[in-house]
Amino acid sequence: MRRYTHGFSNGHHWLSGRVLLLMVTSSLSLTLAACSQSNTSGSDSQSVQSEPAAIQNVKNNKSAPANAPVNSSSSLLKNVSATVYKDANCGCCKEWVGYAKDNGLSATTHDVADLSVFKDRYGVPQQMRSCHTTVTTDGYVFEGHVPAKHMAQFLENPPVGAIGLAVPSMPVGSPGMEYQGKFMPYKVMQLNKDGTTEVYAAIESPEQQL
């Protein structure tokens, strides 16, 4: 009986490992496919290697179907101007910029050779980083595929000690990462001046982005 139990245990661990590896691989493939689908040739961005001076961070402080697209036009960001630093070859970055502009954002885009320079400059923690960094004229930072709804809420009433918001990685189904109607729940994280982070909003369904 011991020999049988031991064999079953080893087989169970081996099977669990295979299932976990398959889940991770599938998730990564889905993210890459969504970003690749958005990629298009050409760019309306300006190339930039560095910026003369950093923008100083501020020191003080509707219902929709489940699979509705998140890029519907609105005026949520109509009074907001920002610079977006992105990779020239990233299609999902371009999709997010188009989505933000559809929601009223006045955006100037720059294709940069080394995005980490700008992420370091504006205080985006390593674990919060995504494929593009948006900096408003008043110094707030929005990292990755942040929904316009949450950008507007944040800018209307910035939390004390916060420098911006981030959506780490590239969740499928977030703004600019739409792919075959699929959706992965994700969190919008608040970035604080002291380097800490906290959950600003938990997005469990597509309609929560609207």
Side-chain angles (χ1 to χ4, degrees), residues 12-26:
H12 175 71
H13 289 311
W14 176 84
L15 180 60
S16 298
R18 292 279 296 227
V19 171
L20 179 59
L21 178 60
L22 179 61
M23 290 174 63
V24 172
T25 303
S26 299

Side-chain angles (χ1 to χ4, degrees), residues 40-53:
T40 56
S41 61
S43 173
D44 57 357
S45 304
Q46 304 174 29
S47 295
V48 61
Q49 298 300 322
S50 60
E51 189 178 53

Side-chain angles (χ1 to χ4, degrees), residues 2-209:
R2 288 181 182 173
R3 186 174 304 171
Y4 172 79
T5 302
H6 179 68
F8 175 79
S9 177
N10 287 340
H12 175 71
H13 289 311
W14 176 84
L15 180 60
S16 298
R18 292 279 296 227
V19 171
L20 179 59
L21 178 60
L22 179 61
M23 290 174 63
V24 172
T25 303
S26 299
S27 177
L28 178 59
S29 299
L30 188 60
T31 299
L32 292 175
C35 193
S36 297
Q37 184 185 42
S38 301
N39 199 5
T40 56
S41 61
S43 173
D44 57 357
S45 304
Q46 304 174 29
S47 295
V48 61
Q49 298 300 322
S50 60
E51 189 178 53
I55 300 174
Q56 183 178 4
N57 286 326
V58 176
K59 295 183 179 180
N60 299 313
N61 43 165
K62 315 181 219 115
S63 137
N67 292 322
V70 297
N71 59 345
S72 56
S73 298
S74 76
S75 57
L76 285 169
L77 302 173
K78 66 179 179 179
N79 296 319
V80 181
S81 296
T83 300
V84 183
Y85 302 98
K86 68 182 190 66
D87 187 307
N89 299 313
C90 181
C92 55
C93 296
K94 187 173 181 179
E95 291 295 319
W96 183 87
V97 171
Y99 154 83
K101 287 182 175 180
D102 285 344
N103 282 276
L105 181 68
S106 176
T108 300
T109 58
H110 291 300
D111 294 332
V112 298
D114 187 358
L115 282 168
S116 64
V117 171
F118 297 90
K119 297 179 191 300
D120 289 342
R121 178 176 297 173
Y122 296 112
V124 181
Q126 286 286 344
Q127 69 275 20
M128 293 290 110
R129 297 184 179 188
S130 183
C131 52
H132 57 271
T133 302
T134 302
V135 184
T136 64
T137 52
D138 53 1
Y140 287 111
V141 182
F142 296 93
E143 176 74 6
H145 296 260
V146 181
K149 167 185 175 180
H150 296 95
M151 289 179 66
Q153 288 177 351
F154 179 94
L155 292 170
E156 183 178 356
N157 186 26
V160 175
I163 64 171
L165 300 176
V167 172
S169 190
M170 297 179 287
V172 174
S174 59
M177 283 294 294
E178 297 86 358
Y179 180 67
Q180 298 182 353
K182 300 183 184 300
F183 178 80
M184 297 170 59
Y186 64 93
K187 291 180 174 61
V188 178
M189 303 298 294
Q190 178 178 312
L191 308 179
N192 298 318
K193 288 187 298 182
D194 61 4
T196 61
T197 62
E198 56 190 277
V199 176
Y200 184 83
I203 313 300
E204 301 293 339
S205 62
E207 62 265 30
Q208 288 183 307
Q209 304 174 117

